[in-house]
Amino acid sequence: MAEKEKKEKKQRTPRTWSSTKVLDCVAYFAIMFIAIALIFRLAFKQNTPDVANAFGSIGECLSYIICIWLGLYWTLRKRGTGWNKRNIWWLIMWLVATVAIVVIYIFAVI
């Protein structure tokens, strides 16, 4: 009976989305926006249009999101037997850096 239950569990449908798939999608669009911005800058060397700056800003923002997201994954990864004092400091430092990036970025854009 136990073997039959194991086979039934293995035949479940796979997840259609995951956080890594979302991250891959965000990374793809970040690269596209940055590429478009660089093409505009190259095409209009002297007079960089506002569109190029807009695409560059969007790509930069998405890149920050990707880096923050991956940093959180790395920080939350359990080391050894679980959480200890050293791990919580990694999380606190990530949180401080993330808040600093977000606040400074918002003030720079406004």
Side-chain angles (χ1 to χ4, degrees):
M1 192 71 161
E3 290 179 30
K4 194 174 190 181
E5 290 176 9
K6 286 181 184 178
K7 287 182 182 178
E8 288 177 8
K9 288 182 182 179
K10 288 182 182 179
Q11 294 177 355
R12 291 183 183 174
T13 57
R15 292 189 304 184
T16 56
W17 69 274
S18 67
S19 56
T20 54
K21 286 183 182 179
V22 172
L23 185 63
D24 293 342
C25 179
V26 172
Y28 176 81
F29 283 105
I31 290 171
M32 291 302 120
F33 283 121
I34 291 170
I36 291 169
L38 291 175
I39 290 169
F40 277 136
R41 287 183 189 159
L42 183 63
F44 305 103
K45 290 182 183 179
Q46 298 296 328
N47 302 324
T48 305
D50 291 336
V51 175
N53 293 332
F55 277 110
S57 295
I58 293 169
E60 182 181 329
C61 181
L62 292 175
S63 298
Y64 285 141
I65 291 169
I66 292 166
C67 291
I68 289 169
W69 196 332
L70 289 174
L72 178 64
Y73 274 154
W74 185 83
T75 303
L76 293 180
R77 186 182 70 209
K78 289 186 177 180
R79 293 169 183 84
T81 59
W83 287 100
N84 57 37
K85 289 180 184 176
R86 291 183 185 159
N87 293 354
I88 197 70
W89 285 109
W90 283 101
L91 181 61
I92 291 170
M93 291 306 297
W94 174 87
L95 188 62
V96 168
T98 300
V99 169
I101 289 169
V102 170
V103 168
I104 292 170
Y105 188 77
I106 288 172
F107 282 125
V109 171
I110 295 176

